[in-house]
Amino acid sequence: MSHHNAKKDEWSGKNIDLRTSDRTQYLAAPSAGKGILAEYERLIDTARQGKESFDAVVFGATPELRDMVLDRGGNLTTVDFSAESFEKCGAAMEHVGDPREHIKVESWLETTCGDASADIVLGDGIFNNIPFDSYERLFGQIHRILRPDGFFILREGVLPSDRPTRTVEEISAEFDREGMHWFDLIMDLRFFSDISTRTFAGGAYIYSFMSLYEAIDAAHECRRLADAAFQAVSRFRNSVSHTFAPRTVFEEIFNRFFESLPVSQASDYKFCADTFIFFFGNKNG
């Protein structure tokens, strides 16, 4: 059994601080659920099948992905613009400082990774951190880096077209019944509630945490959001904005560069089903 299967509770307790506030006040989607980890491992094993050795590039400092590559004897290049992220995410790694990992502190959009230098490229929510008008450019960089038989493994935040919206009261009541994870609470309030339109930041598919918390404060003040739900989300206040494109739009751009391959979805959290989902593809052309 992989050591990652023992990390199913990583996104809880003291690790919430390690994975959020200790990462530059950055609220990232949980990436350490048992099903999420298992699917990443399965896809990496599929992508490296038949290779005695392999080269991988990870965009972002996500510690689980880096450990998975190094666990399997891969040569790893990790690219992130923030030296601070590397330092803080290293605290969650088993292989921190491994000589097989080469760290590049640089923009993903201007990475110096060589042409056709990787068998596998991985990312966890990377497109959510760039403007929508840069999506095609980042896909182009990944396509350039991959070898002709290379694979792209991605778990990305997208917006489904068929998820119904609910009132804040309905979402709050579900949380009070202990039937909702705290991150699902944030996601539902942010994208699938009757206050969601107030979180839109005005740019193409850009959503603001600052605007979200202004709406949450107002909902709590008028007793639409109960105290327990309010307290669960209050610690994650920040001014970060994210880009979430509709799934159909994201898939259309993905398919310009990669041939989509069948992929399963994790079920650790409700949002795994349709909002933070896996994409898997071969390089086109």
Side-chain angles (χ1 to χ4, degrees):
M1 180 188 297
S2 164
H3 78 268
H4 291 285
N5 287 337
K7 297 172 70 179
K8 61 183 178 180
D9 294 325
E10 181 160 326
W11 198 264
S12 62
K14 66 180 182 180
N15 286 297
I16 291 176
D17 289 328
L18 173 65
R19 307 286 302 166
T20 55
S21 61
D22 287 353
R23 291 178 69 181
T24 324
Q25 296 295 327
Y26 185 78
L27 178 60
S31 55
K34 184 177 180 179
I36 295 168
L37 292 172
E39 186 60 20
Y40 265 125
E41 291 183 315
R42 187 188 71 79
L43 292 173
I44 292 171
D45 288 339
T46 299
R48 72 186 183 100
Q49 190 170 15
K51 300 181 185 294
E52 292 185 7
S53 63
F54 69 100
D55 299 307
V57 173
V58 171
F59 281 89
T62 307
E64 295 87 359
L65 299 187
R66 296 156 68 190
D67 270 339
M68 287 179 191
V69 171
L70 296 170
D71 278 345
R72 289 159 172 74
N75 301 304
L76 173 63
T77 299
T78 307
V79 183
D80 196 90
F81 71 94
S82 170
E84 185 179 10
S85 289
F86 279 116
E87 179 182 355
K88 291 181 175 179
C89 289
M93 288 186 66
E94 293 195 359
H95 296 284
V96 63
D98 192 299
R100 293 168 298 165
E101 181 181 25
H102 178 56
I103 288 174
K104 289 180 176 286
V105 182
E106 61 187 21
S107 166
W108 301 328
L109 299 173
E110 299 175 355
T111 178
T112 58
C113 291
D115 294 356
S117 60
D119 300 296
I120 306 171
V121 173
L122 298 107
D124 193 74
I126 57 177
F127 286 86
N128 298 138
N129 295 291
I130 63 173
F132 178 71
D133 60 12
S134 295
Y135 275 28
E136 191 161 346
R137 184 177 171 190
L138 181 52
F139 272 120
Q141 288 282 28
I142 295 164
H143 188 273
R144 175 184 66 80
I145 292 166
L146 278 172
R147 293 177 177 137
D149 59 348
F151 291 87
F152 182 30
I153 302 168
L154 175 70
R155 192 174 71 106
E156 191 61 34
V158 293
L159 293 180
S161 59
D162 56 353
R163 175 88 80 88
T165 61
R166 297 188 294 165
T167 66
V168 170
E169 290 86 350
E170 289 172 324
I171 295 169
S172 181
E174 182 180 348
F175 183 82
D176 282 348
R177 292 192 302 269
E178 299 183 357
M180 178 184 288
H181 189 275
W182 60 265
F183 196 87
D184 283 329
L185 172 63
I186 292 175
M187 293 295 290
D188 278 13
L189 290 172
R190 191 178 188 188
F191 296 120
F192 309 112
S193 76
D194 56 9
I195 63 171
S196 296
T197 57
R198 296 172 60 182
T199 76
F200 184 61
Y205 309 128
I206 298 175
Y207 296 83
S208 162
F209 266 113
M210 182 177 294
S211 298
L212 171 65
Y213 279 100
E214 290 174 353
I216 285 173
D217 286 343
H220 179 247
E221 186 175 348
C222 67
R223 310 309 299 169
R224 299 188 65 206
L225 186 69
D227 290 343
F230 180 73
Q231 291 167 7
V233 299
S234 290
R235 66 186 300 183
F236 304 107
R237 292 174 181 269
N238 57 46
S239 58
V240 172
S241 293
H242 287 148
T243 308
F244 276 78
R247 179 173 178 173
T248 54
V249 172
F250 189 87
E251 287 177 329
E252 191 277 325
I253 304 174
F254 183 94
N255 291 333
R256 294 180 204 168
F257 296 88
F258 302 97
E259 176 189 358
S260 295
L261 300 173
V263 62
S264 301
Q265 300 302 330
S267 58
D268 304 72
Y269 312 100
K270 183 172 67 174
F271 70 81
C272 292
D274 58 15
T275 306
F276 269 91
I277 61 174
F278 281 96
F279 293 88
F280 183 48
N282 275 126
K283 178 176 177 176
N284 278 341

